[in-house]
Amino acid sequence: MLSALLGVEGPAEPDAEALVRESGEVVTYGALARVVARAAGQLRGAGACPGVSVALALADPVGLLISALAVWEAGAVCVPLDLRAGAAAAEEIAARAHARLVVRGCGADGELQLELRNGPAIDPRAALLLFTAGSSGKPKGVLLSAAGLRANVMAILGYLPIGDHPRTALTLPLAYSYALVGQALTTLRAGGALLILSELGYPALQLASMARLRASGLSSVPAALRLLARLVAEGAEPPPLGYLASAGAPLDAPTAGALRTAFPRARLFNQYGLTEASPRVAAIEDRDPAFAKGAAGRALPGLTVWTEGAQGDIFVKGPSVMLGYLDDPEATAHALSAEGALRTGDVGFVDESGALHVRGRGDGVVKVAGERVSLDEIAEVLRAAGARDAAVVALPDQALGARLIAFAEVPEAGLAALRRAVREQLGPAKRPAQIVAVHSLPRLPSGKADLVQLRALAAL
């Protein structure tokens, strides 16, 4: 069932749980192998093969995952669509992906609802095509190879203890590499049970489902993890987590402390990666001394990570780096060197112990009055001072180069404490010109703050 992509079948016991819906309904490894084989046969009959893009337009995550496995079994290119972005946006992505097949539905028996289209072949080495949301501009299509995905899955399993804690709670959309590769494929490769939770926008329901289904592993973004920790602090029943892994944004000390308090038995991991690297690049456990110093991780086996200068652009090289951007040779040439080194777009440094520290996106490090300023660093100070979450954007300023506007999830009464923290902990260039109290930050489906929308609000 997973042989085409990862080189393995399921575990020896076909009755073991593979997929578990929020309702408790189970798909065993034996059943999963049967439905994937049927769906793969149908795809092959419709023309699926290397270089053929198959877009997955399914709202049901179980159906989407079965379809993805079938696409890989057929040797074609999987293109998961995020339907939550709207039908028009999904249709645009399917068109840009040159999809020859669109999966509109997947029955419990593996029968697919297929739509056939005309489209040119793409890179036959590609197994997965994901379109990055980005902080601005048009999303780019990231081409990832089967070998790269396989290498990344095995590298993640080298540090994440899924084998010891095999009941993984999936709380993020499968249209993202963090969920599809970093959680779904790793859990299935380890022979674990993937608990697929549907109420992605309701943390209280997620937490209750995780407790009821006995989730033992959870990977998510800091904003979502903070909400779960707060619910436990307010009296909600915690699931028996053996590990917690964070990625997608900086994991600050207050968030890490709240997670330790809420889930005292869980091993805590910080991770760094990006879609263009399949996605994981580095990881670190809280028992590592560099974790407390704010490190994002240590390079995973097979990957080399370095920065340009003492603190500058972060580069990564290794088997999981993307093939390139679909139909965008200019962007590919900017991101990939002739030797295959990936410019991540992030900035940071590697300390004397070899740990990677990320200071933010390249477009998240701005110059204010001639001084380099990390927008993520400012957001960390605001969170530590009492904001549930915070994000900072920069607007052009003729005199200073950039004017900083901060948005913080805090009541109006809490703004005084945030302003005081900014004055006491940040130099003049790093102090936002304005801190805006909001009930909740606008977010992308991945859980990250929607910086495009925040910039538009700041410009009003």
Side-chain angles (χ1 to χ4, degrees), residues 55-294:
L56 308 182
L58 299 101
D60 173 32
V62 172
L64 190 151
L65 186 53
I66 290 170
S67 300
L69 295 172
V71 171
W72 289 320
E73 190 69 19
V77 186
C78 177
V79 188
L81 303 179
D82 186 4
L83 298 185
R84 302 190 311 168
E91 175 57 33
E92 179 185 355
I93 294 299
R96 289 184 57 196
H98 308 305
R100 288 192 194 175
L101 298 170
V102 179
V103 180
R104 298 288 184 185
C106 177
D109 59 355
E111 182 72 20
L112 302 179
Q113 298 175 18
L114 289 179
E115 175 186 318
L116 276 62
R117 299 184 174 188
N118 293 319
I122 65 172
D123 193 330
R125 298 172 297 167
L128 181 61
L129 173 57
L130 297 173
F131 284 78
T132 58
S135 57
S136 62
K138 192 174 184 179
K140 297 189 287 290
V142 180
L143 291 162
L144 301 172
S145 70
L149 296 172
R150 185 162 49 246
N152 211 246
V153 166
M154 298 310 297
I156 293 169
L157 289 174
Y159 69 87
L160 209 57
I162 297 176
D164 295 330
H165 308 286
R167 298 182 66 80
T168 303
L170 183 68
T171 63
L172 296 172
L174 284 167
Y176 292 86
S177 58
Y178 188 9
L180 181 58
V181 181
Q183 295 166 57
L185 291 186
T186 53
T187 298
L188 294 174
R189 176 62 177 81
L194 192 64
L195 315 179
I196 301 180
L197 308 184
S198 59
E199 299 293 348
L200 301 185
Y202 300 91
L205 294 178
Q206 282 186 351
L207 192 65
S209 295
M210 282 189 276
R212 177 170 43 80
L213 297 174
R214 308 184 323 282
S216 58
L218 174 63
S219 299
S220 192
V221 296
L225 293 174
R226 280 191 288 272
L227 290 173
L228 296 177
R230 187 175 67 183
L231 288 167
V232 173
E234 293 171 351
E237 178 186 359
L241 295 177
Y243 74 85
L244 275 162
S246 175
L251 178 64
D252 53 49
T255 300
L259 292 172
R260 290 192 191 97
T261 300
F263 307 99
R265 298 180 181 177
R267 297 169 63 183
L268 185 58
F269 294 84
N270 195 12
Q271 305 170 114
Y272 168 71
L274 64 163
T275 301
E276 288 88 340
S278 296
R280 197 62 54 230
V281 169
I284 191 168
E285 189 174 357
D286 61 354
R287 291 184 291 191
D288 189 314
F291 184 100
K293 299 178 182 179

Side-chain angles (χ1 to χ4, degrees), residues 382 385-387 389-390 406-423 434-438:
L382 296 175
D389 201 0
F407 293 85
E409 293 182 355
V410 68
E412 290 284 347
L415 285 175
L418 302 189
R419 295 186 182 112
R420 184 166 56 252
V422 164
R423 288 196 304 271
Q434 184 181 4
I435 303 176
V436 181
V438 295

